Amino acid sequence: MREIRWLFPALLVLALLPAGAAAQARGTISGRVTDAASGQALPGATVTIQGTTQGAVTAQDGRYTIRNVPTGSRTVLASTLGYATLTETVNVTAGSATTVDFALQASAIQIGGLIVTATGQEQRQREIGASVGSISTADVPLATVSSPAQILEGRVPGVEVLPSSGTTGAAARIRIRGSSSISLSNEPLLVVDGVPVNNNTDAFSYGIGGQSLSRLNDINPNDIEKIDVLKGPSASSLYGTAAANGVIVITTKKGHTGATQWHAWSEQGQIKDVTDYPNNYRYVGTILTGANAGKTTTNCNILARASGACRPDSLVSYNPLRQNTPFRTGYKQTYGLSASGGTERTTYFLSGAWSGTQGIYSNNNLNDLNLRANLGTTLTQDLTAQISTGYVSGDYQLPYNDNAVEGFIGGGLLGSPTSKNTTGGYYGYPMEYRKSFELRQSPNRFLSSLNATYTPMPWLSIVGTAGLDVTNNEDTYTILPGVFPSDVDPDYAEGQRQVDAVRERTYNATLAANTNYGIASDLTGATSIGGQYRRESRAHSFAYGQGLLPGTKSLNAASHLFQIGETNRDTKLAGAFVQQQLTWRDLLYVTGAIRGDDNSNFGQDFGLVWYPSVSASWVVDEEPFWPKNDIVSTLRVRGAWGVSGLQPGFRAATTYFNPVSAVVNSAEVPAVTIGGAGNTDLKPERSAETELGFDAGLLSNRLGLEFTYYRKISKDELVQRVLAPSLGLSSTQWFNLGEVHNSGVEGTLNIHAVRAPMISWDVTLNGQTNHNKLVTLGEGVAPIIFGLGGATQRQQEGYPLGSYFQQPIESYSDANGNGIIEPDEVQVGDTAVYLGQPFPTRELSFNTDLTLFGWLRVSALLDHKSGMKLYNATEDFRCGALLNCFAIQDPSAPLADQARAVADYWYSTVAGYIEDASFTKLREVSVTLSAPQRWAKLARVNNLSLTLSGRNLATWTDYTGLDPEVNFAGTANFSTAEFLTQPPVRQYVARIDVGF
Amino acid sequence: MIRRPYNRDAGSGRMRRYSALGVVACAAALLPLAGCSNILHVDDPDVATTGSLENEASLPVLLAGALSDFQVAYGGYAGAGGSSGEGEIDVSGLLADEMLHVGTFPTRQQIDQRKIFTDNGQLDDVFRELQRARVSADRAVRVYNQFQPTAPGAALAHALEGYTYIFLAENWCSGVPVSTVTESGETQYSPPRSTDDLLNLALAQFDSASSIASAAGSDAADYGNLALVGKARALVDQNKLSDAAQVASSVPDDFEFLIQHSENTTTEYNGVWYMNQNTGRYSVVSEEGGNGLPYLQSPADPRVPWDTAARKPFDTTISLPLLEQLKYPDRGSPTVLANGVEARLIEAEAKLDGGNSAAYLPILNDLRATVELAALGDPGSPAARVDQFFQERAFWLWLTSHRLGDMRRLIKYYDRTADEVYPTGDYYRAGTVYGDDVSLPVPITEDNNPEYKKAASTCDPTKA
């Protein structure tokens, strides 16, 4: 506590600074906000009084009212996404109402939007020195997306969404400005309606080969108003020890003043596997040597025939995934209804939706019910509150795949064509057995937040935020008895059942005081001080039994091999922050802040951690000296620097023993074994980020250009130093040793290409680069070797995190001209070398949105990623281990394919299968037909539209595997490979939206 | 943390109210930090901390922990999905001629094929488990010494630690470090220790165990015999056969010390059963690589019970059937660590006198009679007697982690070459041949031990 004593007087002075402000008489400002081009009302637009904490949101008719405004000359600002901010100066007189209407011009550049900050306040984007990405779901064809992660895909520069699998419900990895942490999760912090919530991306109790579920996907995209992305510490510093990977801030829909607006929607869709799977091959031949000479072999591969061991007779091939297919045509259906509206005192948004998705396997199904109730109320003239509650009840069922012998893809691609009559061509056992695994999750999640704002004076607001995120999961695993023959797997044959109960809680409380005050005629100040407390707990218990009574699937019917277990995790955080902003003529904003955190996961010998930040934003085009022109209509330059952190894992700082059972004197007794070797000096990872950029509106704001350069330096990186085995301890111990650098540029070019009465065409190009480098792992720490197969990837100094390393294939040639690459015709390097990194270094996405005649809208998203490699372990395993690929069986295969197969089989290097994974994908296309108003009126509704959409429609790539962006390890931090992973599936959805 | 709305009528003046608000805001901001020591406290009910075990009441738990770690290291366990689970019995048998790799992991093939890389993950796991068992037993010894130095449990802890040194010496190359973490938590790294050093460390532990067991009387008789067999075994490994025979002579015929497994938890499963019958990743084998002994006979030798499994090997691409051992027929089968038979075999070897005497035969035949096997005749030549003795020893001690040490002794003390003892020539998987390793190498992760790294490593797995 010694470190923070100095903070008390400083904070008190800051808090009391404005206390001397004089009391003032008050008036009211009201008016209407409309689209300048169409004259239509703009509901949801924000109107604020500059220099105060006062403001209002427009109702459905575009109207707003701000009461209690201090008298005198006041500058009023109106802003909403997609429009240029408009400013009006009015004179407010005591006891009277002043009318200010705004007609906003559409703009391709966004600097006027509002961002919810860590202090609980909304802040204009123009005041923030860091780049913040914002997506309004109004701009996203919701028929094309099934999850919040898919909303982010290709729409925010700096954000990489990395889908791991085409399995319905599988989680995706999200990286913002690269990977910062060597060992901790690189997933961003998730904030919903102002409070941090559970963002577990590995939320399934069972290893099903690699894929898992994500709690992010519990949130219904239809309930989301907008998503803001704070891309790194320069923007997220005030979020403290959780925000080094950036923050995704989701704001759910709120009601607006006005009559109840009903919205009903339904989606019906089809899901298909469209992958071109390779055949399995075997050459049947005659053995020429040894004791079995003259007998038939089903593996007369190119090496065997080249060595004279066999004579090839006939090539046999079979494609079980197509000829004995496990796939079905999946089906998606969604039904939803929402109501929103309110009075000046109370607004509401209520919604309910049921979604049922049958994936492409019979044991891959998702059903969920989402309910939401958001209530806004003005309790007194000074006190407002917003209560947001969401509830999801789901039933998710996932299949085995990836690195699991029970998987469909693995079974199909690793089988021998000669086993067609025994296993149906599948590896090990028939496909039908694989359908019998039933792995389910039934989550019940309650997400709630309360935001209360007390504004006793125009210059002072106290914002209290409380959040509760409660998730109760029941995960179950069942294999019924009698499905598997005992000679295939005696344990499966008996039937097995496991039930896991997982209870996760996230509690959050934040209290902040925000003040605005004048310092000089052109200089105003804003001070925020606050504190935060957060607790994340997880309790997991399970029970397992084997030998089920036929006809049952209950633990109650298990007969033996019972297992039980319980694990508990609890992490607590307390932090305090102070932020000071200085504003010069509402053109130049300079903000400094500092936050101090303590955390139960820190080592007991470590104290507080401090996260400072500073930023500046200058709206140049509004300066008097700036010549008003149509070439550069808007120009803002900005810069920010900030620090934030990541907490060590639970128990990482503690040395402990795990309880085990042991048999002593024929009785089971409690025993202990070493669990972990703790480090009492453990502290959080700290990432310091600098960014510089500008936002420009060109050609009368018809062309918007955003550009940002960033550089992030992450220090005190937690590294699991491998302990010498002879110590007899755990395998590793955590130390703050590493340093990782990320840098890159981000840009958005937003073009309002055509704006005419009958046609409007917008084009958006988002681009980003990322240069990632592991600077150091710490003195004396050897490269960390990991990855599929045990040694395909490394954390090695001087290279990007997760880099692929293998012994290279230096050359090959068919020296003897027999058409076969033999072992001595391949030259393999002696040592492993860097072959590439698994994450994209460049991404360019192209969004287009064309509206014709006011009733036809066509949208498309094209996404290009490059600079990454992917380990094609599927083909490696087929060629190097199972010997059922074309290249190892048939000499007519290209020599390059033979060479990589032979190098794999003979020299155990998979270098030939670490391939360029650059690709371009047509991710989404949608066509929306909106009924003309007179048609809608005939149907007695306000609006009516039909959207036809497609997802995963085309891929262009030189990658030779099943798909260039899947990952066998799901959301694992760095382990990346394509290994028997379900590729993306194609989805067509028809959606009807009705407003009434 | 949400405060009740401020009551506008309660204040006596605006300035006072504003000041109060500032104080409230500050207090709210700083409360979390001011009260850190309390509000950040978390309970961790799932584990035990180090300090909580350093007391007399924890002695049974520590001893049970030593047994548990020893069981994992020796007989193995059931790892997730068969990705791990082997102990010393499996791995030494795999490198020797008792086991065959029939799974898909190349790391296991390296061991079976006698071409082991030091970055072999399976090897690392097994080495760590053995070192953990050593340290766990040592921890129990230390706390017993503090609170109950003469208790029977202390004898068992010493004996278990002794056996960990035996396995490090017999199965692993010469040059294995044995580091320690002191009571105060200080790390003391060890330089590589020669096989003979390790055996001396084992002898010291067995002497301590014997001494405590003798003083404790009948309560610790089994632990005393366990220590005697261990000591005799260490002396055999040092080729001090007559000394070994003398130590073994006091071990009764019917003595048997079992390491218990159980169906209770997967950690307690018998790893030999798990890797063989359950996962099909290991098979038992006969005459492996030409030099392997003919273990699998029809009808089966009662000391080497086996059968052809109904299931296939895990790697379904190979044409071999899965052959299963029936010595440990289920997941809870105990393994034999030491018994009277081994004591008699040690006495017999002392009488073999390098192959020049047939005096060992009566002992062997007495043992064979106990399982109704026909008596053996004198094969006539010194070399044949050695072959006969070591085959008998291999059959009696099948799958107890003796065979690899015996094969190394045949090279060190009986003038055999590795090519005459170990599986050699073409490996059964197409296009591959056996390598030269005769012992398990120290894994590369031991390079994190500065004392090991700076010492010129003596570990050469191709040397016996």
Side-chain angles (χ1 to χ4, degrees):
Chain A
M1 290 307 298
R2 188 173 59 250
E3 298 93 322
I4 63 165
R5 279 183 187 153
W6 61 268
L7 200 56
F8 281 86
L11 290 177
L12 281 169
V13 168
L14 285 169
L16 298 175
L17 252 179
Q24 292 172 300
R26 303 177 187 186
T28 299
I29 297 176
S30 62
R32 189 163 183 255
V33 181
T34 56
D35 180 306
S38 65
Q40 289 188 331
L42 290 176
T46 305
V47 184
T48 55
I49 311 293
Q50 185 179 316
T52 75
T53 59
Q54 291 179 293
V57 177
T58 58
Q60 283 150 11
D61 59 1
R63 296 197 176 278
Y64 71 94
T65 301
I66 307 173
R67 302 181 195 284
N68 216 21
V69 180
T71 54
S73 178
R74 297 292 162 199
T75 302
V76 189
L77 303 96
S79 61
T80 190
L81 272 177
Y83 292 85
T85 300
L86 201 56
T87 304
E88 295 285 348
T89 301
V90 297
N91 190 41
V92 180
T93 54
S96 67
T98 305
T99 300
V100 187
D101 293 333
F102 294 90
L104 301 185
Q105 296 280 354
S107 173
I109 190 70
Q110 302 296 323
I111 63 171
L114 293 177
I115 308 297
V116 178
T117 67
T119 64
Q121 274 194 311
E122 287 187 320
Q123 192 172 12
R124 289 182 297 162
Q125 204 160 349
R126 62 187 275 146
E127 299 174 19
I128 300 172
S131 164
V132 178
S134 290
I135 305 169
S136 167
T137 52
D139 299 331
V140 178
L142 290 175
T144 62
V145 298
S146 302
S147 66
Q150 289 181 347
I151 294 176
L152 290 167
E153 219 166 39
R155 291 189 169 89
V156 180
V159 178
E160 287 281 5
V161 177
L162 304 162
S164 297
S165 164
T167 298
T168 299
R173 294 188 283 191
I174 296 178
R175 296 286 181 274
I176 302 178
R177 291 182 174 173
S179 300
S180 303
S181 181
I182 300 166
S183 310
L184 301 175
S185 169
N186 281 289
E187 295 293 328
L189 176 69
L190 179 61
V191 172
V192 176
D193 290 330
V195 296
V197 299
N198 183 349
N199 188 27
N200 185 2
T201 56
D202 185 13
F204 199 34
S205 298
Y206 311 120
I208 53 171
Q211 305 307 320
S212 193
L213 294 164
S214 171
R215 290 276 77 91
L216 173 62
N217 292 346
D218 290 339
I219 299 166
N220 182 0
N222 291 283
D223 287 346
I224 296 174
E225 177 82 39
K226 67 166 186 165
I227 301 177
D228 297 319
V229 181
L230 312 182
K231 298 175 184 175
S234 57
S236 63
S237 182
L238 275 190
Y239 281 98
T241 311
N245 299 328
V247 185
I248 293 176
V249 181
I250 291 179
T251 304
T252 59
K253 290 177 177 171
K254 309 290 187 299
H256 302 303
T257 305
T260 300
Q261 301 287 307
W262 294 89
H263 175 210
W265 70 95
S266 176
E267 294 176 348
Q268 306 294 320
Q270 182 190 73
I271 302 168
K272 291 196 77 167
D273 177 88
V274 292
T275 304
D276 185 16
Y277 296 100
N279 289 351
N280 299 331
Y281 295 91
R282 277 296 174 92
Y283 237 110
V284 176
T286 305
I287 298 171
L288 299 178
T289 60
N292 293 321
K295 292 183 178 176
T296 298
T297 175
T298 58
N299 187 18
C300 189
N301 60 60
I302 58 172
L303 296 179
R305 72 164 70 180
S307 69
C310 64
R311 182 187 64 240
D313 295 328
S314 62
L315 181 67
V316 183
S317 71
Y318 189 62
N319 193 326
L321 292 176
R322 286 292 164 228
Q323 294 170 273
N324 181 16
T325 185
F327 304 123
R328 66 180 179 183
T329 298
Y331 192 74
K332 175 184 180 182
Q333 53 184 325
T334 302
Y335 305 92
L337 178 68
S338 70
S340 67
T343 64
E344 280 198 20
R345 287 187 67 87
T346 303
T347 59
Y348 56 89
F349 172 82
L350 307 170
S351 80
W354 179 84
S355 174
T357 307
Q358 297 176 342
I360 56 170
Y361 303 104
S362 62
N363 55 354
N364 181 202
N365 302 292
L366 302 182
N367 295 292
D368 58 50
L369 172 69
N370 265 278
L371 302 174
R372 175 157 290 279
N374 291 348
L375 184 69
T377 181
T378 302
L379 294 168
T380 70
Q381 191 173 338
D382 299 336
L383 182 63
T384 62
Q386 178 70 44
I387 300 169
S388 302
T389 57
Y391 171 75
V392 60
S393 174
D395 179 13
Y396 308 149
Q397 188 182 9
L398 296 183
Y400 277 113
N401 256 323
D402 305 284
N403 191 13
V405 72
E406 296 88 351
F408 294 98
I409 303 291
L413 292 179
L414 301 183
S416 168
T418 60
S419 66
K420 187 167 59 174
N421 295 326
T422 53
T423 65
Y426 282 77
Y427 179 86
Y429 43 79
M431 177 264 292
E432 283 73 20
Y433 296 175
R434 301 164 203 275
K435 292 182 176 177
S436 60
F437 292 101
E438 187 179 307
L439 298 113
R440 311 184 88 103
Q441 177 171 98
S442 302
N444 282 283
R445 184 176 188 184
F446 179 72
L447 259 172
S448 65
S449 68
L450 168 65
N451 295 273
T453 303
Y454 177 51
T455 313
M457 292 300 294
W459 49 265
L460 173 65
S461 67
I462 297 172
V463 181
T465 305
L468 175 63
D469 180 4
V470 176
T471 306
N472 291 330
N473 290 335
E474 183 187 80
D475 295 358
T476 59
Y477 159 88
T478 311
I479 175 82
L480 294 174
V483 176
F484 273 80
S486 59
D487 61 341
V488 172
D489 192 301
D491 289 325
Y492 289 155
E494 290 188 335
Q496 298 172 330
R497 171 79 170 173
Q498 182 165 325
V499 177
D500 292 66
V502 181
R503 301 169 298 282
E504 294 177 302
R505 307 281 186 272
T506 302
Y507 308 90
N508 188 83
T510 305
L511 186 65
N514 306 294
T515 65
N516 292 68
Y517 45 87
I519 299 173
S521 60
D522 288 335
L523 185 64
T524 59
T527 305
S528 298
I529 60 171
Q532 185 189 32
Y533 175 75
R534 188 162 76 241
R535 180 183 181 192
E536 298 168 329
S537 67
R538 186 174 196 273
H540 176 197
S541 56
F542 79 93
Y544 169 87
Q546 192 165 310
L548 300 185
L549 180 69
T552 67
K553 47 178 174 181
S554 162
L555 274 175
N556 202 38
S559 59
H560 65 128
L561 294 178
F562 295 104
Q563 294 175 36
I564 55 168
E566 178 180 350
T567 55
N568 296 279
R569 281 203 317 248
D570 200 356
T571 300
K572 295 176 181 174
L573 174 146
F577 54 81
V578 57
Q579 176 176 277
Q580 178 63 47
Q581 181 176 310
L582 296 174
T583 302
W584 182 68
R585 295 170 56 191
D586 203 31
L587 298 176
L588 176 64
Y589 311 89
V590 178
T591 306
I594 189 165
R595 172 173 172 137
D597 274 0
D598 201 355
N599 187 298
S600 60
N601 286 1
F602 295 170
Q604 65 183 31
D605 296 338
F606 179 73
L608 297 175
V609 61
W610 297 100
Y611 301 116
S613 64
V614 61
S615 72
S617 170
W618 184 24
V619 184
V620 182
D621 68 278
E622 294 178 17
E623 288 284 5
F625 66 78
W626 186 261
K628 300 300 175 192
N629 65 86
D630 292 338
I631 306 296
V632 182
S633 318
T634 302
L635 178 64
R636 177 174 79 118
V637 294
R638 50 185 159 75
W641 172 86
V643 182
S644 56
L646 290 175
Q647 65 188 18
F650 181 63
R651 234 180 251 152
T654 311
T655 298
Y656 63 93
F657 290 87
N658 282 323
V660 292
S661 299
V663 181
V664 176
N665 298 326
S666 303
E668 296 284 351
V669 299
V672 289
T673 189
I674 187 72
N679 177 354
T680 56
D681 293 322
L682 217 56
K683 53 190 173 185
E685 297 184 352
R686 280 165 53 92
S687 291
E689 184 182 59
T690 305
E691 69 167 71
L692 297 168
F694 66 87
D695 309 306
L698 309 175
L699 306 176
S700 301
N701 285 338
R702 292 181 63 177
L703 192 150
L705 177 63
E706 295 176 29
F707 177 84
T708 304
Y709 163 81
Y710 68 90
R711 180 172 171 77
K712 182 163 59 171
I713 297 175
S714 304
K715 294 185 175 179
D716 294 333
E717 293 278 294
L718 288 164
V719 174
Q720 276 190 301
R721 178 173 260 168
V722 176
L723 297 177
S726 66
L727 289 169
L729 297 173
S730 54
S731 301
T732 56
Q733 186 177 21
W734 292 103
F735 288 89
N736 293 95
L737 297 173
E739 182 172 331
V740 174
H741 291 185
N742 279 282
S743 61
V745 296
E746 300 157 359
T748 295
L749 180 61
N750 190 18
I751 305 169
H752 287 180
V754 178
R755 284 292 163 111
M758 299 299 282
I759 179 171
S760 121
W761 182 31
D762 293 347
V763 173
T764 302
L765 282 169
N766 288 317
Q768 65 191 57
T769 67
N770 174 255
H771 177 71
N772 176 274
K773 184 179 177 182
L774 171 58
V775 176
T776 179
L777 270 174
E779 188 180 349
V781 179
I784 298 169
I785 299 173
F786 65 102
L788 184 62
T792 49
Q793 290 179 260
R794 291 186 182 188
Q795 310 292 24
Q796 182 156 325
E797 293 175 356
Y799 296 93
L801 290 171
S803 291
Y804 289 117
F805 276 78
Q806 280 287 283
Q807 292 169 261
I809 300 171
E810 293 177 337
S811 64
Y812 65 88
S813 68
D814 181 18
N816 61 11
N818 66 351
I820 294 173
I821 296 295
E822 297 175 56
D824 60 359
E825 293 172 334
V826 179
Q827 283 72 49
V828 172
D830 292 333
T831 57
V833 298
Y834 171 71
L835 295 177
Q837 63 158 322
F839 296 106
T841 58
R842 299 177 294 277
E843 179 172 8
L844 186 65
S845 67
F846 172 85
N847 285 269
T848 185
D849 200 332
L850 173 68
T851 304
L852 293 170
F853 319 117
W855 55 266
L856 174 64
R857 180 184 173 191
V858 180
S859 301
L861 171 59
L862 196 67
D863 197 7
H864 170 79
K865 294 183 181 180
S866 58
M868 69 290 198
K869 296 285 184 72
L870 184 63
Y871 171 24
N872 181 359
T874 301
E875 197 64 1
D876 149 40
F877 211 59
R878 283 160 49 83
C879 295
L882 277 298
L883 305 178
N884 70 346
C885 78
F886 187 69
I888 200 72
Q889 289 291 334
D890 195 313
S892 69
L895 295 183
D897 289 355
Q898 290 187 40
R900 68 177 186 173
V902 171
D904 183 8
Y905 181 75
W906 198 261
Y907 299 106
S908 298
T909 177
V910 301
Y913 296 99
I914 295 173
E915 303 182 35
D916 181 2
S918 301
F919 66 83
T920 301
K921 290 195 173 197
L922 180 57
R923 292 201 188 276
E924 304 169 5
V925 171
S926 70
V927 178
T928 301
L929 302 162
S930 299
Q933 280 295 312
R934 56 194 174 88
W935 293 13
K937 283 182 180 172
L938 283 175
R940 296 187 177 181
V941 297
N942 294 336
N943 51 66
L944 175 64
S945 67
L946 169 67
T947 302
L948 304 173
S949 74
R951 186 168 185 83
N952 293 322
L953 298 171
T955 300
W956 297 271
T957 182
D958 291 331
Y959 178 74
T960 66
L962 301 180
D963 185 85
E965 66 173 344
V966 296
N967 182 24
F968 86 104
T971 53
N973 227 1
F974 293 104
S975 287
T976 306
E978 182 228 302
F979 186 52
L980 311 171
T981 305
Q982 172 60 51
V985 291
R986 185 163 298 162
Q987 181 172 302
Y988 295 107
V989 171
R991 176 180 170 119
I992 294 176
D993 287 88
V994 182
F996 54 98
Chain B
M1 295 296 287
I2 301 300
R3 302 284 189 261
R4 294 175 62 188
Y6 181 77
N7 184 343
R8 300 189 63 176
D9 300 325
S12 58
R14 285 188 190 278
M15 291 302 294
R16 182 172 160 186
R17 195 176 97 211
Y18 301 153
S19 301
L21 283 171
V23 172
V24 168
C26 276
L30 296 171
L31 253 179
L33 291 183
C36 283
S37 59
N38 291 324
I39 64 171
L40 294 183
H41 172 76
V42 295
D43 290 322
D44 189 0
D46 297 335
V47 298
T49 54
T50 46
S52 66
L53 298 171
E54 302 278 338
N55 53 62
E56 188 169 6
S58 296
L59 284 174
V61 172
L62 289 171
L63 186 62
L67 275 166
S68 171
D69 286 334
F70 191 89
Q71 167 245 295
V72 166
Y74 178 54
Y77 60 105
S83 59
S84 57
E86 50 266 274
E88 293 295 309
I89 293 176
D90 265 334
V91 170
S92 66
L94 193 62
L95 178 56
D97 57 359
E98 295 176 325
M99 294 290 220
L100 193 71
H101 155 73
V102 290
T104 55
F105 282 26
T107 42
R108 291 190 176 112
Q109 181 168 326
Q110 286 177 18
I111 299 169
D112 197 25
Q113 206 181 328
R114 301 175 55 207
K115 284 182 174 176
I116 312 168
F117 296 114
T118 56
D119 63 356
N120 185 310
Q122 242 82 38
L123 191 78
D124 193 68
D125 286 347
V126 174
F127 187 62
R128 282 184 188 280
E129 284 150 9
L130 182 54
Q131 294 279 9
R132 277 187 200 122
R134 176 183 62 81
V135 170
S136 184
D138 192 60
R139 185 180 303 118
V141 164
R142 179 166 50 77
V143 182
Y144 265 107
N145 283 344
Q146 195 176 347
F147 297 105
Q148 294 180 7
T150 60
L156 177 56
H158 277 293
L160 291 174
E161 185 171 356
Y163 274 98
T164 63
Y165 288 118
I166 289 277
F167 295 132
L168 287 170
E170 289 183 354
N171 297 337
W172 300 80
C173 63
S174 183
V176 175
V178 283
S179 304
T180 55
V181 178
T182 65
E183 193 174 349
S184 60
E186 185 187 349
T187 298
Q188 291 184 339
Y189 286 107
S190 157
R193 309 293 291 263
S194 69
T195 297
D196 206 46
D197 278 352
L198 295 169
L199 292 170
N200 287 334
L201 290 169
L203 288 169
Q205 292 296 330
F206 291 131
D207 284 343
S208 297
S210 294
S211 169
I212 296 167
S214 296
S218 60
D219 287 350
D222 276 354
Y223 304 155
N225 287 324
L226 178 66
L228 288 176
V229 176
K231 181 175 182 178
R233 183 171 172 175
L235 290 168
V236 167
D237 287 333
Q238 290 181 325
N239 206 30
K240 297 172 181 173
L241 296 178
S242 59
D243 291 346
Q246 188 180 356
V247 172
S249 64
S250 55
V251 177
D253 290 350
D254 61 354
F255 164 70
E256 185 173 59
F257 192 91
L258 303 176
I259 296 298
Q260 299 293 335
H261 287 268
S262 161
E263 293 189 350
N264 187 43
T265 62
T266 53
T267 309
E268 296 170 273
Y269 283 10
N270 184 310
V272 184
W273 170 88
Y274 179 69
M275 301 306 296
N276 178 209
Q277 282 101 320
N278 191 251
T279 67
R281 293 172 191 267
Y282 282 59
S283 175
V284 291
V285 63
S286 208
E287 301 176 69
E288 183 191 356
N291 291 323
L293 295 177
Y295 294 106
L296 311 182
Q297 300 180 2
S298 297
D301 186 299
R303 300 164 297 179
V304 186
W306 69 282
D307 202 352
T308 301
R311 63 163 294 167
K312 291 180 176 177
F314 184 82
D315 184 351
T316 60
T317 65
I318 59 177
S319 55
L320 297 177
L322 178 68
L323 306 180
E324 59 185 19
Q325 57 78 30
L326 299 175
K327 186 167 187 168
Y328 310 120
D330 56 53
R331 43 173 64 80
S333 299
T335 52
V336 182
L337 179 60
N339 60 14
V341 172
E342 184 178 358
R344 300 294 82 78
L345 288 168
I346 289 169
E347 291 179 283
E349 187 171 354
K351 292 183 182 299
L352 178 66
D353 192 19
N356 294 322
S357 164
Y360 67 98
L361 260 179
I363 299 176
L364 294 190
N365 286 332
D366 285 350
L367 289 173
R368 288 173 66 89
T370 62
V371 289
E372 299 179 350
L373 285 171
L376 299 169
D378 182 2
S381 70
R385 287 182 185 128
V386 169
D387 288 344
Q388 184 188 56
F389 170 78
F390 274 89
Q391 177 165 322
E392 280 294 286
R393 192 174 145 87
F395 276 51
W396 278 112
L397 302 177
W398 189 55
L399 298 181
T400 58
S401 194
H402 281 82
R403 178 62 180 158
L404 182 59
D406 284 354
M407 293 165 90
R408 293 173 72 183
R409 289 200 297 119
L410 281 167
I411 297 171
K412 280 197 288 190
Y413 307 133
Y414 290 88
D415 297 328
R416 305 293 173 92
T417 65
D419 285 347
E420 294 170 331
V421 177
Y422 282 77
T424 188
D426 290 339
Y427 189 61
Y428 82 97
R429 296 197 188 225
T432 53
V433 296
Y434 281 98
D436 301 324
D437 289 343
V438 298
S439 64
L440 300 167
V442 172
I444 195 171
T445 49
E446 192 58 41
D447 283 354
N448 291 292
N449 169 356
E451 294 296 321
Y452 179 78
K453 195 171 183 183
K454 78 181 181 188
S457 176
T458 55
C459 173
D460 182 351
T462 65
K463 288 184 179 173

